[in-house]
Amino acid sequence: MDSIMETSPLKAPSKLLKNPLGLFKRGGKVIADSMSTRSMSSSGSVDGNQERETSSYHRQSSLSYSETDADDDLLVDKFGFIVEAAVTEIESESVLGCEERAPSVKDFTSMFQFRRASLTKDKALRSSQRTDAKDRGWPAMLGLDAIITRKEGLYRNLVAMSQSDPYLDQNDFSLRDEFKVEWDGIERDLKRTFPKHSLFFESQNDDANHDGDDRSDDLSQMEEEVYGKQALRRILRAYCVYDRDIGYCQGMNFIAGMLLMFLTEEESFWLLVVVMNDEPFKLREIFSRDMAGTHEILYIADKLVNCFLPELYEHFENEQVNTSMFTTQWLMTIYTSTFPFELVSKVWDCFIAEGWKIVYKTLIALLKYAQQDGDLLNCGMEQILTYLRSFQSKVDAEQILSAANKVPMKQRHIQRYASEFRKLKESGEIAVQEVLNRSDTASTSSSMNLSNISKAHRFVIKLKRAKRDVSVQDLSPKLVPVVGSAKFAVLLKNALSPEECAGLLGRAKGEKFEDVVIRQPGGKDGGTIVKFKRSIAEDFDLSDVLYDRVVSALEDIPELWEKFSEASWTKKSSNVPLKAVRLNHKLHFLKYGFGDFAAPLRDASFTRGNEKSYVTMQLYLNNGFKGGVTSFKGTKKVFDINATAGDILLFDQELRHEECEVVKGRRYILRTEVMYAPHVTAYQYECTI
């Protein structure tokens, strides 16, 4: 049997006319979407004279619009969405007088032979990629031609197995029982999927004729449906058979429907397979029966909103607005279900190129726009949710994408919160259970409670919002007579407030400390050279906030900033330029009690992947003790650091330093390292992460 994608060829449209506003007219046999005129096979050629043995269902489904559309007189935008006549009454008269739309570029394969990262870093391309390029660009980037060739005939067989045509020998009626819940859900969602798009639009008379019994069991009714609904049904049912563990979940209909607007039916199916199963997309996890992936992306989104829009996040918390109340539908469908397609198409360009980062960056940009446009900081819960459910039509795609490109989000932010979620899931702090009914997941908020934020996390929120007037002391010149050269050492006075130090001190006292004792010949008291207590905590949020505090203090002092950011003192020993990227998220809480000390030593470098530490950071948390001075040691001279609670000391790890003995009270220090990565150009560094 011939493939669904190789049935009788489409009737080519007569003319596709455009007015100055980018509107298209479909009347008689003029259609709004030229991409359906492409070949019904992946190779791009159809023998129109070939005699085909297909059912009337096949012949009907091969057309982008049925013969019943001949009397339609619809005005559509460049994406195929129907424009209300009242809005376009004046413009519609000018449509027929405009010149034909330029033909779409047919082969963009060579355009995408470079790395995905190259595409995503070209902001001009990201913001202005032509709509027409998607019909060849997306398949080329994901290798769909090779997949379709390798899987030749499989989609045809999946469709044959999953359709309700009783005249086909391959039809497996047992599938109806196996997928009854999924297929009933598909039928319901067909009505909801882009009803104002010309592919899926049906007049009120058509809708009335289809009311009543399930149309999937009535072949004549299926033949009367518009092409888009028939194709979407075939794709979604075929995917149920292809991936029986997932089947169908609401939200998949919007993604598959969007793909049909740009690609052939078979290309749409296989691109859906790719984004569902392959890295870096993995939408399959979002639509799984336990919906663990949905919980994860909502957790990540919640943390990112807190990280990049802390003021708005705090207001949401005060008004008891959970971010999952509005982000669930946005993220599960990658914006296809609710936002203008000018934005959707651009987000998907970047999503196919680089994965989830653009999705989260767009979320931040949208909320930043909403915060200003909707004055959300002065709104209560009901007003906030009402606005966020209705503002989508107001957004400008170029403005949002431009703002999204400026969000300083890195892949490491996403990976951090993903790892954090999985640890919480494994420990049982976040429960993910199988969802038996997934029919309304994309239109309702998640049941997962993301508002249970720990005290430590709330402290980080406050720490991030606080602004400090930090005094910077360059200690390098003072160290020259001590160590013989101008080593890097900087003291940031007043980096943290007394209240912030008290918060961290309270956390430190709650940690479980272990003894650290190192002995070697020549040390005091039986060879001891180090004696204190230590607790190690992994905290990405706190390390990032502290790093931002350091950067904000140094970046306005060009000489110090260059030294710190590039580790310039390492250039003599290495030809590879370096760039400071973050603090090590492993934070060492050090407790020095009576008699505790650390003899003069050099700090060991910490290495992770291509990152290496060159600078130590020490944050002093308390006063009220005696002794315990930090000193830099030379051959004969000593330089003491006059550090008090809230001060941050940054110094080259090659410097010998001593923590003098505490003779009264307890002394607390938070210690970690500044991590550096190879850096040739800013562009190349961005690509590495």
Side-chain angles (χ1 to χ4, degrees):
M1 183 190 71
D2 291 329
S3 168
I4 290 295
M5 306 306 292
E6 296 177 349
T7 56
S8 57
L10 278 171
K11 295 181 180 179
S14 55
K15 281 189 177 183
L16 196 59
L17 304 174
K18 183 172 72 172
N19 71 359
L21 297 180
L23 302 176
F24 301 93
K25 181 163 182 169
R26 186 182 66 145
K29 294 183 180 179
V30 178
I31 65 174
D33 204 316
S34 65
M35 49 213 159
S36 298
T37 66
R38 285 183 290 138
S39 160
M40 301 302 286
S41 69
S42 60
S43 63
S45 62
V46 174
D47 185 356
N49 299 320
Q50 182 178 357
E51 197 68 39
R52 305 184 186 275
E53 297 178 359
T54 60
S55 67
S56 61
Y57 171 72
H58 282 169
R59 290 193 299 272
Q60 179 65 32
S61 67
S62 69
L63 299 176
S64 60
Y65 294 95
S66 68
E67 293 298 329
T68 60
D69 291 325
D71 295 330
D72 287 346
D73 190 8
L74 300 176
L75 206 60
V76 300
D77 65 15
K78 65 180 180 179
F79 295 103
F81 285 92
I82 296 167
V83 181
E84 297 296 336
V87 178
T88 60
E89 183 177 3
I90 299 177
E91 292 85 350
S92 61
E93 297 180 1
S94 64
V95 173
L96 297 176
C98 297
E99 59 186 42
E100 284 190 38
R101 181 187 185 190
S104 301
V105 178
K106 293 300 180 185
D107 186 6
F108 286 81
T109 306
S110 61
M111 179 178 174
F112 295 100
Q113 293 302 316
F114 49 87
R115 295 173 61 223
R116 286 181 178 178
S118 301
L119 172 65
T120 62
K121 297 306 168 187
D122 187 341
K123 293 185 179 180
L125 182 58
R126 292 176 78 171
S127 62
S128 62
Q129 190 174 7
R130 293 179 54 202
T131 301
D132 298 336
K134 302 179 199 317
D135 61 355
R136 291 293 86 203
W138 292 357
M141 293 179 69
L142 298 179
L144 283 194
D145 288 344
I147 293 174
I148 293 174
T149 300
R150 190 169 65 251
K151 304 283 188 180
E152 183 178 2
L154 179 55
Y155 178 66
R156 172 192 63 201
N157 293 334
L158 292 171
V159 170
M161 292 171 63
S162 61
Q163 64 184 339
S164 298
D165 189 341
Y167 300 104
L168 287 176
D169 295 336
Q170 294 92 333
N171 187 57
D172 185 354
F173 284 97
S174 65
L175 290 176
R176 286 185 179 181
D177 298 327
E178 181 180 348
F179 294 110
K180 184 180 188 308
V181 174
E182 286 84 353
W183 290 2
D184 286 348
I186 290 172
E187 293 307 314
R188 286 193 301 269
D189 290 341
L190 286 175
K191 302 175 184 178
R192 311 173 184 174
T193 308
F194 308 121
K196 295 300 184 182
H197 191 279
S198 50
L199 274 175
F200 307 98
F201 175 75
E202 289 184 324
S203 65
Q204 293 182 352
N205 291 335
D206 293 333
D207 290 337
N209 292 335
H210 293 156
D211 287 342
D213 296 337
D214 186 354
R215 76 182 66 178
S216 64
D217 294 328
D218 190 336
L219 182 61
S220 63
Q221 287 184 356
M222 294 174 73
E223 289 181 347
E224 293 174 2
E225 286 181 328
V226 293
Y227 163 75
K229 287 189 176 181
Q230 297 180 51
L232 184 57
R233 177 188 290 109
R234 290 193 291 269
I235 290 172
L236 296 176
R237 285 191 173 191
Y239 192 86
C240 284
V241 181
Y242 177 84
D243 188 351
R244 299 190 181 206
D245 290 337
I246 298 299
Y248 172 74
C249 177
Q250 189 184 56
M252 293 169 61
N253 56 310
F254 289 108
I255 294 172
M258 180 273 298
L259 297 177
L260 271 173
M261 298 178 195
F262 300 112
L263 308 171
T264 66
E265 182 178 326
E266 185 167 14
E267 286 175 336
S268 298
F269 172 80
W270 286 113
L271 200 148
L272 177 65
V273 169
V274 170
V275 297
M276 286 287 286
N277 294 276
D278 291 359
E279 295 286 358
F281 318 109
K282 300 294 283 187
L283 297 185
R284 188 177 191 275
E285 297 177 0
I286 292 176
F287 298 116
S288 63
R289 297 189 185 277
D290 65 3
M291 303 192 73
T294 301
H295 294 300
E296 182 173 317
I297 63 171
L298 293 177
Y299 181 90
I300 294 170
D302 186 78
K303 290 302 186 89
L304 291 173
V305 173
N306 169 45
C307 179
F308 293 99
L309 297 172
E311 187 178 11
L312 181 63
Y313 187 88
E314 182 182 27
H315 182 65
F316 281 170
E317 280 197 312
N318 293 337
E319 296 297 328
Q320 298 183 329
V321 174
N322 195 301
T323 55
S324 64
M325 292 177 178
F326 53 87
T327 58
T328 304
Q329 187 178 19
W330 299 1
L331 300 182
M332 282 188 70
T333 64
I334 320 294
Y335 303 109
T336 56
S337 63
T338 50
F339 285 88
F341 259 61
E342 192 72 47
L343 175 63
V344 170
S345 63
K346 294 177 186 297
V347 169
W348 270 81
D349 287 340
C350 300
F351 178 64
I352 286 177
E354 66 179 13
W356 277 91
K357 185 165 68 171
I358 186 61
V359 179
Y360 294 121
K361 293 176 90 171
T362 301
L363 171 64
I364 300 302
L366 285 168
L367 289 179
K368 190 173 182 180
Y369 168 84
Q371 177 180 338
Q372 298 172 351
D373 182 72
D375 194 21
L376 298 188
L377 294 180
N378 294 315
C379 293
M381 177 182 182
E382 185 175 348
Q383 291 173 302
I384 291 171
L385 294 178
T386 299
Y387 176 85
L388 291 175
R389 291 186 186 117
S390 60
F391 83 109
Q392 289 85 348
S393 61
K394 301 167 62 176
V395 302
D396 178 84
E398 293 290 345
Q399 178 184 348
I400 295 299
L401 262 294
S402 176
N405 287 333
K406 296 175 184 176
V407 176
M409 185 187 302
K410 308 299 180 188
Q411 192 63 34
R412 61 183 172 86
H413 292 107
I414 301 170
Q415 292 173 344
R416 172 200 320 158
Y417 296 131
S419 299
E420 190 176 292
F421 172 84
R422 290 163 191 167
K423 288 180 180 179
L424 292 172
K425 179 183 172 184
E426 291 172 3
S427 67
E429 294 184 49
I430 290 181
V432 176
Q433 300 177 346
E434 182 167 334
V435 180
L436 298 180
N437 184 358
R438 298 176 295 158
S439 61
D440 291 314
T441 52
S443 60
T444 59
S445 63
S446 170
S447 60
M448 182 177 65
N449 182 7
L450 298 175
S451 61
N452 185 22
I453 302 174
S454 65
K455 290 182 179 180
H457 186 62
R458 290 185 183 277
F459 170 76
V460 171
I461 296 173
K462 295 179 180 179
L463 189 64
K464 184 176 180 63
R465 296 184 184 123
K467 303 297 182 183
R468 301 291 299 163
D469 184 13
V470 181
S471 172
V472 180
Q473 297 181 7
D474 183 4
L475 305 179
S476 300
K478 299 178 181 179
L479 288 175
V480 173
V482 177
V483 299
S485 61
K487 296 286 188 180
F488 176 78
V490 173
L491 183 64
L492 307 181
K493 298 290 292 182
N494 195 38
L496 270 71
S497 69
E499 294 76 19
E500 292 169 339
C501 289
L504 282 176
L505 186 60
R507 174 177 174 177
K509 291 179 178 179
E511 297 285 343
K512 183 179 179 180
F513 285 87
E514 296 179 351
D515 291 329
V516 177
V517 179
I518 302 176
R519 295 184 175 90
Q520 71 177 32
K524 59 188 285 190
D525 297 334
T528 302
I529 59 170
V530 170
K531 179 178 177 290
F532 56 82
K533 296 182 183 296
R534 178 180 63 188
S535 176
I536 301 177
E538 294 191 13
D539 194 324
F540 289 94
D541 288 337
L542 181 56
S543 63
D544 271 2
V545 171
L546 293 175
Y547 181 72
D548 290 342
R549 192 70 64 94
V550 169
V551 169
S552 63
L554 295 179
E555 62 185 353
D556 291 333
I557 307 175
E559 292 183 1
L560 284 181
W561 174 245
E562 181 180 355
K563 277 187 180 181
F564 171 79
S565 63
E566 300 177 6
S568 56
W569 62 91
T570 67
K571 291 181 179 178
K572 294 181 180 179
S573 59
S574 173
N575 293 325
V576 180
L578 299 172
K579 180 180 178 67
V581 291
R582 69 192 62 129
L583 292 181
N584 185 359
H585 66 272
K586 289 189 174 181
L587 307 177
H588 294 233
F589 288 94
L590 310 181
K591 180 168 69 173
Y592 293 84
F594 175 76
D596 290 347
F597 68 98
L601 50 80
R602 292 182 176 88
D603 289 338
S605 182
F606 181 86
T607 302
R608 181 194 293 115
N610 70 333
E611 296 179 1
K612 184 177 180 180
S613 68
Y614 289 92
V615 171
T616 293
M617 188 207 81
Q618 290 195 170
L619 168 59
Y620 300 92
L621 298 179
N622 70 312
N623 299 317
F625 56 86
K626 291 186 177 180
V629 176
T630 300
S631 298
F632 290 114
K633 294 285 186 176
T635 306
K636 297 181 179 181
K637 296 182 179 181
V638 176
F639 182 79
D640 292 338
I641 303 298
N642 182 26
T644 57
D647 294 351
I648 290 178
L649 177 64
L650 303 164
F651 58 92
D652 182 353
Q653 292 182 330
E654 290 296 315
L655 278 170
R656 292 175 70 244
H657 63 98
E658 175 184 12
E659 303 300 332
C660 298
E661 183 177 348
V662 174
V663 297
K664 184 179 180 180
R666 289 187 178 88
R667 180 189 188 209
Y668 289 87
I669 296 175
L670 190 157
R671 179 194 176 280
T672 190
E673 302 88 8
V674 181
M675 304 302 295
Y676 292 78
H679 174 74
V680 178
T681 66
Y683 167 77
Q684 289 175 327
Y685 172 69
E686 290 286 331
C687 290
T688 65
I689 59 172

